Amino acid sequence: SCWTRRVRQTASLMCNDCRIPMCDACSEKHKGQLGHRNFSSLVKQEPTKEEDSDYTYEDSDDEENKADKDAIKMSTLLLKEVSVKLPEEKDCKVTGLSAFTNEVSTLVADVENRMLKLFDNNLELKWTVPVTRDCVGVTVVSEKSFATIAGKKLQYWDVETNEDETIVPKMEEEVEINHTGFAVHSNGKYIGVLMSSDHQVQIFHLSCDEMQAIDLKTIADRAITPGFTLLLDSDLDRFYISDRDYVNGTKLLSVSFTGEVIWECPVPASVGGIAECDNLLFVVSIGYAKIHMITKDGMDVGTLVSDEGKLPFHICTQPLEKTLIVSHNFTGSDRNIIRVYNLEEILYEQEKFEKDDEEIELP
């Protein structure tokens, strides 16, 4: 908990139920709030370089430093930014972002004010709709529909236009899910929900008919501790999710709908938002102010680095505009801001690289 507030403490205990390292103060609070008592003692590893990191992972510091040399400053890509806090509100807490493509607009879930907010291409507010306090995720499904999760319910919404051309979002359907959901995503064909209670991903057909639930504890022959979100691939029947393995290092997993791990790619620290554009995945490293770019075949090809320590959390992409939209949860007034970044040059370079790679003739 203190780490998410950007306070550095040396972890002394590991909660074996949650697989999370904690300092003494946080572990006491954790015991009181969740009642977990299964803790292991941690021994601090001495840093091999002049760094302030207390732990090392399988992906080495040398590789991390090499990636930083090729990192792209996000300030060079920044197009615009806007506050998603309305004048009458004291604060915001964005728990979900998703983008419509037909009218180029961004849908924001603000759990602090129990509201969904739609912003147009100029980031001006178009409409709001009240939601319950437990609505913690939103995803665009089609040009005129979106889905939210609230507790153990998947909610399906239609966006209707009245005769006077006012827009009215209307909930059409609620579907029970197995356990409490805390992330939702749709690829236009399916809707996936990540559940916190038993570490499962439940996948539905677009009509919200149940398809299957995939047990994250068994797909990789090891216990999976997921991060805060998931992404369903727009082209393939697979999804992406992180595994917060604090012993062997956090990894991004690509998993088929049948539960087979296609590939895994190391990423530092816990993963926040995941988004896609063309053949690239954009993966947030919480606490490191970085967004890693990973190809859909599992290769890490670069890093976007946020300036001035701004910590990205939730992200989505606008495929038509080739932009990346970012919200911030842990940085004071920054968490009332969403920022839009231009991805055209990055996507062009990646496409050129792939084309050149295909043209190489092997002896």
Side-chain angles (χ1 to χ4, degrees), residues 1 5 22-35:
S1 297
R5 299 195 308 272
M22 303 178 190
C23 64
D24 292 338
C26 287
S27 61
E28 288 301 317
K29 186 176 292 187
H30 191 74
K31 292 174 185 176
Q33 291 176 341
L34 297 181

Side-chain angles (χ1 to χ4, degrees), residues 165-222:
E165 296 188 353
T166 58
I167 296 180
V168 181
K170 182 181 178 182
M171 189 188 301
E172 292 292 331
E173 189 176 359
E174 280 191 339
V175 179
E176 291 286 335
I177 57 178
N178 292 350
H179 296 272
T180 301
F182 69 101
V184 62
H185 187 259
S186 173
N187 62 0
K189 296 181 291 185
Y190 302 99
I191 300 174
V193 180
L194 174 62
M195 293 171 290
S196 58
S197 301
D198 64 349
H199 296 167
Q200 282 189 347
V201 172
Q202 196 166 353
I203 299 174
F204 299 83
H205 289 291
L206 190 56
S207 61
C208 287
D209 296 330
E210 185 170 355
M211 180 183 173
Q212 59 186 317
I214 298 173
D215 186 359
L216 300 178
K217 293 181 179 178
T218 60
I219 60 172
D221 297 325
R222 66 175 188 269

Side-chain angles (χ1 to χ4, degrees), residues 77 79-80 99-106 119-123 276-278 316-325 340-347:
L77 308 174
L79 293 176
K80 48 194 168 184
F100 286 97
T101 58
N102 56 323
E103 294 181 353
V104 187
S105 52
T106 305
F119 294 86
D120 64 17
N121 189 36
N122 296 318
L123 295 182
E276 67 170 335
C277 195
D278 292 359
C316 70
T317 52
Q318 176 56 261
L320 291 181
E321 296 282 292
K322 306 299 184 186
T323 54
L324 179 71
I325 303 162
V340 181
Y341 299 93
N342 179 24
L343 296 176
E344 283 189 312
E345 185 174 344
I346 291 173
L347 295 171

Side-chain angles (χ1 to χ4, degrees), residues 46-53 61 65:
E46 292 299 325
T48 57
K49 298 184 178 181
E50 294 181 0
E51 298 176 351
D52 57 357
S53 176
D61 292 329
N65 290 336

Side-chain angles (χ1 to χ4, degrees), residues 30-172:
H30 191 74
K31 292 174 185 176
Q33 291 176 341
L34 297 181
H36 292 175
R37 293 290 185 271
N38 184 14
F39 283 80
S40 297
S41 178
L42 292 176
V43 178
K44 181 180 177 180
Q45 298 179 4
E46 292 299 325
T48 57
K49 298 184 178 181
E50 294 181 0
E51 298 176 351
D52 57 357
S53 176
D54 291 334
Y55 298 95
T56 57
Y57 301 101
E58 282 187 342
D59 45 327
S60 68
D61 292 329
D62 290 339
E63 290 187 8
E64 182 68 16
N65 290 336
K66 180 182 178 182
D68 280 346
K69 292 179 182 177
D70 300 327
I72 301 169
K73 288 286 186 180
M74 293 178 70
S75 60
T76 63
L77 308 174
L78 182 63
L79 293 176
K80 48 194 168 184
E81 62 182 33
V82 69
S83 174
V84 295
K85 181 174 72 69
L86 303 184
E88 64 272 17
E89 297 170 348
K90 292 183 178 179
D91 198 1
C92 286
K93 185 177 181 182
V94 175
T95 54
L97 288 173
S98 197
F100 286 97
T101 58
N102 56 323
E103 294 181 353
V104 187
S105 52
T106 305
L107 191 56
V108 177
D110 177 4
V111 71
E112 181 78 17
N113 298 291
R114 307 184 189 187
M115 192 177 295
L116 298 178
K117 305 172 181 178
L118 185 76
F119 294 86
D120 64 17
N121 189 36
N122 296 318
L123 295 182
E124 295 181 357
L125 184 67
K126 295 182 67 175
W127 51 255
T128 63
V129 58
V131 292
T132 57
R133 183 75 174 181
D134 54 359
C135 177
V136 295
V138 62
T139 180
V140 167
V141 177
S142 69
E143 293 184 353
K144 292 292 183 181
S145 64
F146 60 91
T148 56
I149 49 168
K152 294 184 179 181
K153 293 180 179 179
L154 170 64
Q155 302 164 328
Y156 190 84
W157 300 69
D158 275 339
V159 181
E160 301 176 353
T161 304
N162 289 338
E163 293 181 358
D164 60 357
E165 296 188 353
T166 58
I167 296 180
V168 181
K170 182 181 178 182
M171 189 188 301
E172 292 292 331

Side-chain angles (χ1 to χ4, degrees), residues 3-4 74 93-97 136 182-183 227-229 244 270-275 282-291 306 310-316 324-331 334-335 337 339:
W3 169 65
T4 60
M74 293 178 70
K93 185 177 181 182
V94 175
T95 54
L97 288 173
V136 295
F182 69 101
F228 298 99
T229 190
R244 294 184 292 166
S270 294
V271 170
I274 308 175
F282 296 88
V283 184
V284 172
S285 246
I286 304 173
Y288 284 82
K290 295 178 182 178
I291 298 177
S306 181
K310 296 181 177 69
L311 301 180
F313 195 99
H314 292 287
I315 60 174
C316 70
L324 179 71
I325 303 162
V326 180
S327 71
H328 308 259
N329 269 18
F330 298 132
T331 52
D334 272 342
R335 78 181 202 163
I337 300 292
R339 294 179 170 90

